Amino acid sequence: MTASLVIEVDRDSVAMGDDVSSHAHSLAVEPGTALSVVLASAAPEIRARGWSWVADVDGRVAAVWSVDQGVRLLVEDSPVSAADGPRRIHFRYFLQIDPAWLYQRLAEGAVADRQALERDYRPIGDRRRDEEERRRERDSPARYLSAECTEALRGFGAEFDLHNDRMARFALLGSSMRVQRADTMTMTFDVTNRVVSSIRPVAVAECWLVAVTGRRMRQARGWAPVPDNPRIPVPELRPMGSGVAGTARWTTRGMRGDPVVQLTGDEAVLAYRLSANRSIGEIVTILSAR
């Protein structure tokens, strides 16, 4: 009886927390098995559509793997053997780069440099995502932000470019903001794609968003700033690690049913102190007063 060939398999971590435990394991295969079959058996257990992985076999780029397209070899589909191996397979995570595009680039001879390929793919990916978001906007009347929130934002000068069931994007005083659902959180991004806030539930996020836009409107019109005097108990914020360029970040403890609020920068904190435990109508009244 022919002894099995034991191959060491590992993969990149895909996010914080994914590296808590090792992904390394051993895979026993029968000599003579095609490399494509081995790679399919060794593929990452993360089955997310649109995610791409590059398989390195004994240090050589051998294939692109994805849930969408399976194994696409960049080398000959030769049988594995005890003499020739392989001994090690490592799957490198190439983010949400389209697997067909990635395979084509590598087949044409591009170096499997994730940073460089991600940079090349970004305009294509951005265009495709925008097309998908606009399709959702056309096909469904559902909108992520409530009518009350949308009206308040427009009243403070927001001009909506896109609004569907999971995302809103608008211009405000020459800048842009993007609000979108991420699992149970509502995340807000500024013009540089920096995360400014991540809040749950969405009603709390809407109040915060109205406070941010209203404060900016007052500043643009030269009105006096609203005093930083909440007068209503505000859930405690505690420091998190610094963000981009050392910008301070803050979070609530998320205890006793309090909202989960994560903020970046002083402006975000001041808006939260104003909006916490107030309704959209109350916030609009405060920020509209001369």
Side-chain angles (χ1 to χ4, degrees):
M1 182 176 178
T2 305
S4 296
L5 173 65
V6 178
I7 303 171
E8 299 303 316
V9 180
D10 203 353
R11 68 166 175 85
D12 288 350
S13 295
V14 299
M16 293 178 61
D18 184 40
D19 55 359
V20 173
S21 58
S22 174
H23 309 300
H25 63 281
S26 298
L27 177 68
V29 300
E30 291 297 319
T33 304
L35 178 61
S36 59
V37 175
V38 173
L39 290 174
S41 299
E45 74 281 8
I46 299 176
R47 304 286 160 159
R49 299 189 67 83
W51 291 23
S52 293
W53 302 79
V54 170
D56 290 341
V57 177
D58 288 340
R60 179 187 180 192
V61 174
V64 171
W65 179 84
S66 66
V67 170
D68 311 75
Q69 300 189 346
V71 175
R72 299 196 67 185
L73 285 173
L74 294 159
V75 297
E76 183 181 351
D77 194 12
S78 55
V80 301
S81 68
D84 299 327
R87 300 288 183 266
R88 178 175 173 79
I89 298 172
H90 187 96
F91 286 89
R92 287 189 283 151
Y93 177 46
F94 271 61
L95 310 174
Q96 283 80 53
I97 297 176
D98 177 68
W101 182 91
L102 177 60
Y103 174 80
Q104 185 64 36
R105 287 297 307 275
L106 296 180
E108 291 170 351
V111 176
D113 181 326
R114 189 180 80 175
Q115 185 174 7
L117 290 168
E118 182 188 11
R119 184 173 57 248
D120 291 346
Y121 181 71
R122 188 175 298 126
I124 301 170
D126 288 347
R127 185 182 69 250
R128 290 179 178 177
R129 282 188 291 272
D130 190 70
E131 290 171 352
E132 170 61 16
E133 297 301 341
R134 292 193 181 281
R135 182 196 64 77
R136 295 178 73 100
E137 185 181 43
R138 289 192 307 270
D139 292 352
S140 171
R143 298 294 179 257
Y144 187 54
L145 299 177
S146 68
E148 183 184 20
C149 176
T150 303
E151 181 181 0
L153 295 176
R154 287 195 170 115
F156 287 142
E159 297 179 355
F160 280 78
D161 167 58
L162 176 69
H163 194 186
N164 59 29
D165 62 321
R166 64 182 181 186
M167 189 180 89
R169 187 173 64 209
F170 57 87
L172 178 69
L173 303 172
S175 187
S176 65
M177 298 184 74
R178 185 176 85 253
V179 184
Q180 68 184 58
R181 181 180 67 238
D183 196 11
T184 62
M185 305 296 284
T186 297
M187 300 182 70
T188 303
F189 300 80
D190 66 12
V191 67
T192 66
N193 207 37
R194 180 188 66 160
V195 178
V196 182
S197 71
S198 183
I199 300 174
R200 182 179 70 225
V202 65
V204 175
E206 288 187 339
C207 290
W208 175 86
L209 196 59
V210 171
V212 167
T213 56
R215 285 176 54 84
R216 290 187 182 181
M217 177 275 294
R218 292 184 68 89
Q219 183 178 21
R221 294 180 181 178
W223 295 3
V226 174
D228 180 25
N229 181 18
R231 297 185 181 177
I232 298 175
V234 175
E236 179 187 359
L237 292 171
R238 56 189 177 91
M240 297 174 66
S242 297
V244 177
T247 306
R249 300 179 66 221
W250 304 85
T251 183
T252 57
R253 295 184 182 276
M255 300 173 63
R256 301 183 303 278
D258 287 343
V260 176
V261 179
Q262 297 174 349
L263 306 168
T264 301
D266 294 339
E267 180 189 43
V269 171
L270 290 172
Y272 180 61
R273 287 172 59 81
L274 172 64
S275 66
N277 295 320
R278 286 191 169 104
S279 68
I280 289 176
E282 290 172 325
I283 298 165
V284 170
T285 298
I286 292 170
L287 291 171
S288 299
R290 295 295 299 269

